[in-house]
Amino acid sequence: MPSSVPTWPELLGSATRTAIHLEMRDSYAVDYEKGPFAAWRAGFRHDPADRASWWRPWLDLIQETVGRGVIVRRARIVSEPVSEYTRFLYDGTFTNVAAGEQVRWLPRRRASDIPLPGNDFWLIDGRLVRWNHFTGEGASAGGEISEDPAAAKLCADAFEEVWARAIPHDQYTISQ
């Protein structure tokens, strides 16, 4: 196991074929009082036509990764009715899509019989897992890297099953 967790540019920069990401929480480090989530709660929405206002370093990294021919896919397993935070994510997902990510949503009820890893993850080229650890409140508890073939296989198999059942972002609707 590598001793340190690479930065996101290093991790995605190492991808040559695929970078897949599975998210399974209904909320991540929500600060209800300030920041993008609070602004969204107050009614702010990104204007798709005003790319300069929402484009940020993460989206540059995704666009660069996709531009090198790497397929970047993100799947989200969500409880329904969705949480307020999931509505926030949903409203901003067009930015991920604009950068070149493919995004799908899977209602949690449709995931009950899928063997899933215990944590969210990124899987790079089917061999390198970056586990994303979170506290009970959704704050980041750090990342961890694994090159264990069994862990990579678990992640790949779980992701592909989720992906096959999930609904593409442009077809998924949530009730408001």
Side-chain angles (χ1 to χ4, degrees), residues 71-166:
I71 297 168
V72 180
R73 296 184 294 162
R74 178 187 305 257
R76 293 179 171 139
I77 298 174
V78 295
S79 299
E80 291 183 320
V82 300
S83 69
E84 183 180 35
Y85 185 83
T86 297
R87 287 195 309 273
F88 164 70
L89 281 181
Y90 179 84
D91 283 350
T93 295
F94 77 89
T95 66
N96 300 79
V97 173
E101 275 189 61
Q102 300 172 40
V103 180
R104 292 188 182 182
W105 303 80
L106 181 64
R108 192 170 308 280
R109 288 180 179 270
R110 295 177 53 193
S112 295
D113 62 345
I114 301 173
L116 297 167
N119 294 288
D120 290 11
F121 65 86
W122 279 88
L123 179 62
I124 306 300
D125 292 332
R127 61 165 192 81
L128 180 68
V129 180
R130 187 207 195 268
W131 300 111
N132 294 337
H133 299 294
F134 296 95
T135 68
E137 297 298 322
S140 175
E144 180 182 352
I145 294 293
S146 173
E147 290 181 309
D148 174 33
K153 182 176 181 350
L154 171 67
C155 291
D157 291 349
F159 185 88
E160 293 306 330
E161 186 63 32
V162 168
W163 191 258
R165 297 181 190 190

